Amino acid sequence: EVENQLGITIGPQQNFVFGFEPENDVAPTGNKSKEVAHSGSYSMKLSGKDSYSENITKKFSDVATDTIKFISTSVWVYPKEDNPVVTLVVSIEKPNGTSISWQGKATDKMNLKKNEWQKINFRADLREINTSSDDLIKIYLWNKIGGTVYADDLEIVYGDIPKPAGKSAGVFMNQ
């Protein structure tokens, strides 16, 4: 709509932040909790039979005009027990549900502490994956072992993270 009003082409949106607030978020509404939150009033609760979060699902054509080499994600987690095994997942599927790629980062070696907010970062590498514009990108959390874990402020960047402009060499993370 903005592109039409301004008479320009910006392209697909590539950066998203989901705070799980019901009034201003386009994230799925399941598993929301007011028990503890990193920001705002709500977080996503993963426990018991609800060990998977709902998917944040996008078609490739909705987030890129060309190929996507990487998808960078981060999320804040608040475990109720020490050392939970939570996996931040990036899954690529055909429209019929056939899996193309499943990549995830588990917290089993991160020594997460109970009752503290801690950030998980994950960069999925899609450089060797052949995709089409109709393929689906699904991002979700999996609480593998059980217990209760809260998640909040999920950030997703579809594509390369832009490098800062300027002449200084700088340091670039995850390169």
Side-chain angles (χ1 to χ4, degrees):
E1 185 176 313
V2 171
E3 291 175 348
N4 288 338
Q5 289 177 359
L6 297 176
I8 59 171
T9 302
I10 298 171
Q13 182 178 352
Q14 293 182 296
N15 301 341
F16 295 86
V17 177
F18 300 100
F20 306 107
E21 300 302 313
E23 64 275 358
N24 61 3
D25 222 343
V26 294
T29 58
N31 303 353
K32 287 194 180 182
S33 171
K34 288 186 85 169
E35 294 170 45
V36 62
H38 182 257
S39 69
S41 300
Y42 289 83
S43 64
M44 182 181 1
K45 182 177 181 179
L46 303 172
S47 67
K49 63 180 175 45
D50 294 322
S51 63
Y52 289 90
S53 71
E54 293 185 47
N55 298 320
I56 304 291
T57 303
K58 300 283 183 190
K59 285 176 49 173
F60 268 86
S61 60
D62 291 340
V63 294
T65 55
D66 198 1
T67 60
I68 297 175
K69 295 179 185 178
F70 301 99
I71 298 175
S72 298
T73 56
S74 68
V75 67
W76 287 88
V77 294
Y78 186 97
K80 295 300 285 180
E81 294 84 22
D82 283 326
N83 300 317
V85 179
V86 178
T87 304
L88 181 53
V89 176
V90 175
S91 174
I92 312 298
E93 298 178 6
K94 292 285 183 195
N96 67 5
T98 303
S99 178
I100 298 171
S101 172
W102 188 100
Q103 298 178 47
K105 180 175 182 179
T107 63
D108 54 339
K109 295 182 177 133
M110 294 179 67
N111 297 319
L112 296 179
K113 297 175 186 171
K114 70 179 179 180
N115 300 324
E116 290 184 25
W117 284 105
Q118 295 138 99
K119 192 173 189 179
I120 302 170
N121 296 298
F122 174 55
R123 187 176 191 201
D125 186 344
L126 308 182
R127 291 177 291 184
E128 302 296 322
I129 299 171
N130 293 322
T131 59
S132 71
S133 62
D134 288 335
D135 291 340
L136 302 173
I137 303 166
K138 295 184 177 183
I139 298 173
Y140 61 93
L141 290 161
W142 174 28
N143 183 3
K144 187 175 180 180
I145 291 185
T148 299
V149 176
Y150 297 90
D152 203 359
D153 300 327
L154 173 64
E155 296 182 45
I156 304 169
V157 177
Y158 297 93
D160 289 329
I161 297 173
K163 294 180 181 176
K167 295 184 180 185
S168 64
V171 175
F172 302 109
M173 303 305 289
N174 293 326
Q175 296 292 320

